[in-house]
C-alpha cells in the first residue's frame, strides 16, 4: 500500500466537478472517493473515515448542510469544506451553515 497525504471524500451533484477535483487531488497524492449526492457522501464518510469532507451545499437526496450536521453529531474533528454554486456567499445558505458550525464558504 502506498502512503498518501490523506483521505478525502468529495460530493457534488455535478459529475464533472467531482471528476476534475478528484483527479487533481489524486495527482497531489491524496486518496479520494467521490459521491454525487449527500447520502452517498455520508456512506463514504462512514466507510472510509476521511481526513476531509468536501461537500456541495445543494445536492439531491441529502444536501451538504444536512450531511455536515450528521457528521458533526459524532465527529467534531473532521475538516469540512463547503462548496456552493451561488453567485454571492450568503444567498440563503450562510445562516444555515453558521448554525451547523460552517463559518466560511468557498465559492466555485
Amino acid at each position: 500500500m502506498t502512503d498518501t497525504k490523506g483521505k478525502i471524500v468529495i460530493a457534488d451533484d455535478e459529475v464533472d466537478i467531482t471528476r476534475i477535483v478528484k483527479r487533481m487531488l489524486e495527482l497531489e497524492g491524496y486518496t479520494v472517493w467521490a459521491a454525487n449526492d449527500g447520502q452517498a457522501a455520508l456512506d463514504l464518510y462512514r466507510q472510509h473515515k476521511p481526513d476531509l469532507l468536501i461537500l456541495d451545499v445543494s445536492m439531491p437526496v441529502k444536501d451538504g448542510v444536512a450531511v455536515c450536521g450528521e457528521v458533526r453529531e459524532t465527529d467534531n474533528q473532521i475538516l469540512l469544506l463547503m462548496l456552493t454554486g451561488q453567485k454571492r456567499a450568503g444567498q440563503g445558505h450562510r445562516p444555515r451553515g453558521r448554525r451547523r458550525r460552517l463559518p466560511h464558504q468557498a465559492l466555485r
Side-chain angles (χ1 to χ4, degrees):
M1 182 173 163
T2 53
D3 291 329
T4 64
K5 289 183 176 181
K7 302 182 293 184
I8 300 172
V9 169
I10 180 169
D12 195 308
D13 57 331
E14 294 185 38
V15 176
D16 289 340
I17 299 286
T18 54
R19 184 176 45 82
I20 291 167
V21 174
K22 180 179 188 289
R23 184 67 183 136
M24 290 173 60
L25 291 168
E26 288 172 337
L27 288 172
E28 291 297 321
Y30 295 94
T31 300
V32 183
W33 297 273
N36 296 116
D37 67 67
Q39 184 59 54
L42 197 54
D43 293 343
L44 287 172
Y45 162 78
R46 289 176 177 148
Q47 181 179 358
H48 299 289
K49 299 294 185 196
D51 304 302
L52 171 67
L53 277 174
I54 302 174
L55 302 169
D56 184 13
V57 171
S58 180
M59 292 184 286
V61 184
K62 192 173 290 214
D63 69 26
V65 176
V67 173
C68 175
E70 287 192 41
V71 168
R72 285 288 186 219
E73 288 176 8
T74 59
D75 186 349
N76 285 320
Q77 301 302 312
I78 183 82
L79 296 174
L80 290 160
L81 175 63
M82 301 298 287
L83 302 174
T84 182
Q86 300 294 325
K87 292 181 183 182
R88 291 179 300 161
Q91 287 184 334
H93 295 296
R94 187 175 288 279
R96 285 178 59 204
R98 283 199 174 144
R99 284 193 300 267
R100 299 283 191 179
R101 292 192 228 149
L102 299 175
H104 306 288
Q105 290 180 330
L107 301 176
R108 49 166 181 215

